[in-house]
């Protein structure tokens, strides 16, 4: 893939913002549990993508590439010393609203996903919520496809227990 230069970079960035901003914001909101921080993370994601657009080699989709940048940006924000002093617990009501009001089941599912360990939450968000396949999810997280499958299995089991209150299938 040829590096993108000049006005083509701005056009490509505009396309990425229009195509993926909402997906990135949802991912970052659930990951960081704070709308303001999530908006900052999305903005930082697009800045990083713009700066490193020439390095994108097309081995994955743009969405996969952006999701990986967003997750790494969220991780960096969580590691920051100032973040440890902020109450990052957000109410579900503060998350960006979908087109239709969420059902009680959807709210329960989102709460259960937010309570998963980070590694399990990441695979659920990318694979189930964002519709990425196993390979894309693995690329976005920088792990192997078997690791994705293993994390999905654990996450689904934990969600089943949390939502049904019983044993996972």
């Amino acid at each position: 893939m040829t590096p993108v230069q000049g006005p083509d970079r701005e056009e490509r960035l505009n396309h990425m913002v229009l195509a993926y901003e909402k997906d990135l914001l949802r991912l970052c909101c659930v990951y960081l549990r704070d709308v303001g921080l999530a908006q900052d993370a999305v903005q930082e994601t697009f800045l990083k993508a713009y700066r490193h657009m020439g390095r994108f080699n097309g081995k994955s989709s743009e969405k996969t590439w952006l999701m990986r940048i967003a997750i790494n940006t969220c991780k960096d924000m969580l590691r920051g010393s100032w973040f440890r002093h902020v109450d990052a617990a957000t109410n579900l009501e503060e998350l960006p609203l979908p087109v239709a009001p969420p059902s009680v089941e959807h709210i329960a599912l989102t709460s259960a996903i937010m309570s998963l360990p980070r590694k399990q939450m990441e695979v659920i968000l990318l694979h189930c919520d964002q519709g990425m396949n196993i390979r894309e999810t693995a690329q976005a997280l920088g792990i192997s496809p078997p690791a994705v499958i293993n994390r999905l299995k654990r996450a689904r089991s934990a969600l089943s227990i949390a939502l049904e209150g019983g044993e996972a299938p």
Side-chain angles (χ1 to χ4, degrees):
M1 179 174 242
T2 308
V4 180
Q5 300 294 328
D8 291 340
R9 283 178 63 156
E10 285 81 19
E11 287 176 25
R12 188 161 172 202
L13 180 66
N14 285 334
H15 163 74
M16 288 189 289
V17 169
L18 290 172
Y20 307 116
E21 183 177 30
K22 289 180 183 176
D23 291 337
L24 291 171
L25 184 58
R26 178 165 168 73
L27 173 80
C28 293
C29 278
V30 174
Y31 205 97
L32 295 170
R33 296 172 171 83
D34 183 278
V35 176
L37 290 174
Q39 291 168 335
D40 291 345
V42 171
Q43 183 176 12
E44 183 66 23
T45 297
F46 285 123
L47 286 172
K48 289 177 180 178
Y50 182 77
R51 275 189 242 131
H52 301 289
M53 203 173 283
R55 294 184 190 169
F56 178 64
N57 56 18
K59 289 184 181 176
S60 66
S61 69
E62 277 184 346
K63 183 177 181 177
T64 300
W65 182 60
L66 288 170
M67 290 292 173
R68 181 165 188 162
I69 294 170
I71 286 173
N72 288 337
T73 299
C74 290
K75 286 179 180 180
D76 290 345
M77 291 176 82
L78 290 173
R79 277 192 289 263
S81 62
W82 65 270
F83 191 83
R84 288 188 272 273
H85 302 291
V86 175
D87 179 16
T90 193
N91 294 326
L92 291 177
E93 294 80 30
E94 295 176 27
L95 293 175
L97 293 174
V99 176
S103 66
V104 172
E105 293 83 12
H106 186 264
I107 291 172
L109 177 61
T110 302
S111 294
I113 290 170
M114 290 173 73
S115 69
L116 289 172
R118 291 247 179 245
K119 290 180 179 183
Q120 293 175 14
M121 182 180 65
E122 291 169 351
V123 296
I124 289 292
L125 289 173
L126 294 176
H127 183 68
C128 300
D129 186 55
Q130 297 297 324
M132 294 178 139
N133 63 35
I134 298 292
R135 183 186 54 78
E136 291 170 330
T137 302
Q139 287 176 333
L141 295 174
I143 60 176
S144 69
V148 170
I149 293 168
N150 189 29
R151 289 180 188 181
L152 276 172
K153 182 178 177 183
R154 288 183 186 159
R156 286 177 175 148
S157 176
L159 288 173
S160 176
I161 291 169
L163 295 172
E164 297 172 9
E167 289 296 313

